[in-house]
Amino acid sequence: MAAQKPLNVVMTDFDKLNQLYDQTERVWLKENEIFIDIHPTFSPARIDKILGEIFEVVGQIQEQGIEDMLEPEFMDHVIMVHVIREFSSLDYPEEFESFTVDKLIQFMQNLTRNEYYEKISLSFPQDEIQKVYERMTGRYKQIAEMSHMQKMIETINSELPIFNEEVARLRLANA
């Protein structure tokens, strides 16, 4: 069997790929009465958008010391609420455009207490949901690595003698 010739990616390939992110599928919540459209393919940029929002809310939760809100089950709901809001046709009030902890809790209560929440959640392809978790895990790893690197730099700067007078002057100027 002859090996396939490798193909060079061209801009039109990206156009085709990006069109996938705009496609929707109809999910009937109540046959021929109530529906919602979902995006079965998640755009990385839109995943990053919701992750930014999630990290913002997590920061607020940590500042307020509401530790039980950081439990895995609660965080799964937080992620799913953001996925539903970003990747479905769910019409939500403008006040939920940006989340605070209070708005998130109110939005989650309205959504999760509804009989359609599970059906909507399960309508998204599992591999797309997995992309969100993988990207989130990647972000946490980056943050941890950056934090570790910063600590190493601080340790090196504090423990190693500086022989270069210019570097010593800069350090004093920035202290």
Side-chain angles (χ1 to χ4, degrees):
M1 229 180 199
Q4 282 189 318
K5 182 181 173 188
L7 298 174
N8 186 31
V9 176
V10 294
M11 200 58 172
T12 56
D13 294 329
F14 286 109
D15 290 339
K16 289 175 189 169
L17 287 171
N18 288 333
Q19 288 174 6
L20 287 174
Y21 302 131
D22 295 330
Q23 293 178 359
T24 60
E25 290 180 2
R26 181 143 300 161
V27 175
W28 287 98
L29 303 175
K30 194 169 186 181
E31 197 62 41
N32 296 321
E33 288 184 41
I34 303 171
F35 70 89
I36 190 168
D37 291 326
I38 64 155
H39 292 271
T41 308
F42 297 176
S43 157
R46 290 174 77 183
I47 292 173
D48 289 343
K49 176 185 174 227
I50 64 172
L51 289 180
E53 293 169 352
I54 291 168
F55 290 148
E56 221 173 276
V57 170
V58 167
Q60 292 174 25
I61 290 169
Q62 290 172 329
E63 285 173 13
Q64 295 178 19
I66 314 170
E67 293 302 317
D68 57 336
M69 287 181 73
L70 297 175
E71 294 294 322
E73 184 179 339
F74 183 83
M75 289 307 298
D76 284 343
H77 287 304
V78 169
I79 291 166
M80 186 51 65
V81 163
H82 280 81
V83 165
I84 291 170
R85 194 193 69 173
E86 185 66 28
F87 297 108
S88 79
S89 63
L90 178 66
D91 189 22
Y92 56 91
E94 232 177 82
E95 67 202 48
F96 294 115
E97 189 61 40
S98 64
F99 280 118
T100 62
V101 174
D102 294 338
K103 285 182 187 177
L104 174 67
I105 291 169
Q106 182 184 356
F107 190 75
M108 283 178 60
Q109 286 174 340
N110 287 340
L111 195 58
T112 59
R113 284 191 284 180
N114 189 289
E115 65 183 285
Y116 301 122
Y117 173 71
E118 188 172 347
K119 191 164 189 174
I120 294 169
S121 298
L122 294 173
S123 68
F124 293 103
Q126 185 59 42
D127 57 333
E128 294 301 306
I129 300 294
Q130 189 63 34
K131 282 183 191 178
V132 175
Y133 281 91
E134 287 170 1
R135 239 172 144 79
M136 186 169 70
T137 302
R139 289 285 159 71
Y140 277 123
K141 285 181 183 177
Q142 285 176 332
I143 291 168
E145 288 171 8
M146 288 170 40
S147 175
H148 179 70
M149 294 283 288
Q150 184 63 35
K151 287 178 186 172
M152 284 178 40
I153 290 168
E154 289 170 5
T155 301
I156 289 169
N157 283 336
S158 67
E159 294 178 5
L160 294 178
I162 297 176
F163 297 108
N164 184 318
E165 290 178 21
E166 185 63 28
V167 172
R169 264 191 303 234
L170 290 171
R171 181 191 280 168
L172 285 174
N174 290 324

